[in-house]
């Protein structure tokens, strides 16, 4: 099926192709803190038109991450650029500390998003690292975010 | 041919017209704080579909601003109206080594920012922060354009 960005003159546009406009697709998000963290819940949806991607993600860990490493989530579609930039917002819950805090979702690479919070002290003090805060993912911890970004 | 929102009965829609929907365009935002302030544009692109505009921007300030005045960044298209909470972002104060999460508001042709210690005034005014070399403003918004 042709999609926005790939249509060709002279080829009939099907209703299904036109109706694909911002249709949502389910995907399984991947949570990382150095290692891939297994999940109790992995909810991911994204809508894409050409190079615009909107993604809504909720993940809850059921196992541990590796301390002093960035917490990251894989993007559903590769991004256009490696340049750092905010692509959304979200919240993180540290279950053991009963602490819920807001985060800015920052594109970290073309394939992953990381998170900065109000406790950050540098452009690299991502959540999970020193001052990020340096939480280590454990069973029950969760992250949710809404992203909008340019696809590759 | 212009995109959605401009088509009329009888227009012939080409593949190029459809393929242009959802493409991103880079632009050069202007950082200000009581006057324009120079900045390195690490990333600044928008995608406009009809009157819906997505914008992602990341700037590093290369000069100093004037504390007590709101920090602003221009957007690619005039907004339909002043709009609150059109997105989010962060401000990194390099001299204070401090990250502040931001809510983003639009006033016509520029955005302003509100942190958790802002009052009725935007970041730069309250809290009173002067832009400095190495400070970073990064945000992601979507808003209604005027045309």
């Amino acid at each position: 099926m042709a999609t926005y960005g790939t249509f060709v003159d002279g080829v009939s546009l099907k209703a299904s192709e036109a109706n694909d406009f911002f249709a949502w697709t389910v995907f399984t998000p991947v949570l990382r803190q150095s290692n891939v963290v297994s999940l109790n819940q992995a909810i991911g949806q994204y809508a894409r038109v050409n190079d615009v991607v909107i993604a809504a993600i909720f993940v809850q860990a059921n196992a541990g991450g590796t301390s002093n490493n960035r917490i990251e989530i894989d993007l559903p579609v590769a991004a256009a650029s490696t340049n750092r930039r905010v692509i959304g917002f979200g919240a993180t819950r540290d279950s053991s500390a009963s602490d819920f805090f807001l985060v800015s979702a920052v594109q970290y690479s073309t394939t992953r998003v990381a998170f900065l919070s109000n406790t950050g002290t540098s452009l690299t003090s991502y959540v999970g690292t020193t001052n990020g805060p340096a939480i280590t993912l454990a069973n029950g911890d969760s992250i949710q975010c809404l992203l909008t970004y340019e696809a590759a | 041919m212009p995109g959605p929102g401009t088509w009329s009965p009888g227009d012939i829609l080409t593949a190029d017209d459809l393929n242009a929907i959802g493409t991103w365009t880079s632009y050069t935002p202007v950082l200000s704080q009581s006057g324009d302030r120079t900045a390195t544009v690490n990333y600044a692109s928008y995608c406009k579909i009809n009157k819906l505009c997505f914008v992602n921007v990341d700037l590093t300030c290369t000069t100093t601003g004037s504390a007590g005045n709101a920090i602003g960044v221009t957007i690619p298209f005039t907004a339909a109206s002043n709009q609150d909470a059109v997105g989010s972002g962060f401000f990194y104060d390099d001299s204070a080594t401090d990250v502040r999460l931001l809510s983003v508001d639009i006033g016509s042709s520029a955005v302003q920012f509100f942190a958790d210690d802002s009052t009725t005034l935007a970041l730069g005014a309250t809290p009173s922060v002067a832009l400095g070399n190495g400070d970073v403003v990064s945000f992601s918004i979507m808003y209604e354009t005027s045309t």
Side-chain angles (χ1 to χ4, degrees):
Chain A
M1 184 175 80
T3 58
Y4 288 85
T6 66
F7 294 124
V8 176
D9 279 333
V11 178
S12 296
L13 177 65
K14 298 174 184 173
S16 60
E17 294 168 343
N19 291 336
D20 191 47
F21 193 84
F22 277 128
W24 289 89
T25 301
V26 172
F27 75 102
T28 302
V30 174
L31 176 65
R32 302 172 190 267
Q33 189 173 26
S34 184
N35 55 297
V36 173
V37 176
S38 59
L39 301 172
N40 291 323
Q41 293 187 71
I43 301 170
Q45 282 189 305
Y46 73 93
R48 178 177 185 179
V49 170
N50 207 340
D51 290 336
V52 178
V53 179
I54 300 172
I57 298 169
F58 175 85
V59 288
Q60 184 186 67
N62 77 356
T66 304
S67 62
N68 292 314
N69 284 277
R70 281 183 312 277
I71 295 171
E72 303 171 341
I73 295 176
D74 288 14
L75 297 170
V77 177
S81 160
T82 58
N83 289 7
R84 175 205 64 226
R85 58 190 179 273
V86 169
I87 58 172
F89 67 97
T92 297
R93 181 171 184 267
D94 183 349
S95 181
S96 60
S98 297
D99 187 23
F100 194 82
F101 55 94
L102 300 177
V103 294
S104 189
V106 180
Q107 186 181 312
Y108 183 74
S109 69
T110 56
T111 57
R112 297 181 193 173
V113 62
F115 305 93
L116 287 173
S117 81
N118 268 329
T119 65
T121 56
S122 77
L123 292 169
T124 57
S125 56
Y126 290 101
V127 173
T129 66
T130 301
N131 297 321
I135 62 173
T136 302
L137 286 172
N139 185 31
D141 293 348
S142 63
I143 301 176
Q144 58 200 68
C145 58
L146 178 66
L147 314 173
T148 305
Y149 65 95
E150 179 183 3
Chain B
M1 180 191 295
T6 65
W7 296 328
S8 302
D11 284 352
I12 296 173
L13 190 60
T14 67
D16 283 348
D17 295 331
L18 285 175
N19 291 335
I21 299 171
T23 57
W24 292 77
T25 303
S26 61
Y27 83 108
T28 304
V30 176
L31 177 67
S32 66
Q33 187 179 32
S34 185
D36 294 349
R37 307 296 173 181
T38 58
T40 299
V41 179
N42 305 311
Y43 183 91
S45 288
Y46 68 85
C47 171
K48 185 175 182 290
I49 302 174
N50 205 337
K51 293 184 179 179
L52 171 63
C53 190
F54 303 98
V55 186
N56 288 353
V57 170
D58 190 288
L59 303 172
T60 301
C61 183
T62 56
T63 185
T64 55
S66 176
N69 295 281
I71 296 167
V73 178
T74 56
I75 51 179
F77 299 95
T78 302
S81 62
N82 292 348
Q83 298 164 38
D84 294 336
V86 294
S88 64
F90 73 80
F91 173 69
Y92 175 64
D93 186 335
D94 188 59
S95 61
T97 62
D98 183 39
V99 173
R100 293 172 185 268
L101 298 193
L102 306 171
S103 178
V104 185
D105 286 8
I106 283 182
S108 185
S109 60
V111 292
Q112 293 188 334
F113 309 98
F114 290 84
D116 60 358
D117 53 349
S118 294
T119 58
T120 58
L121 300 176
L123 176 71
T126 306
S128 182
V129 175
L131 283 171
N133 189 41
D135 291 354
V136 172
V137 178
S138 188
F139 61 89
S140 174
I141 62 172
M142 56 179 166
Y143 70 101
E144 180 186 1
T145 61
S146 62
T147 57

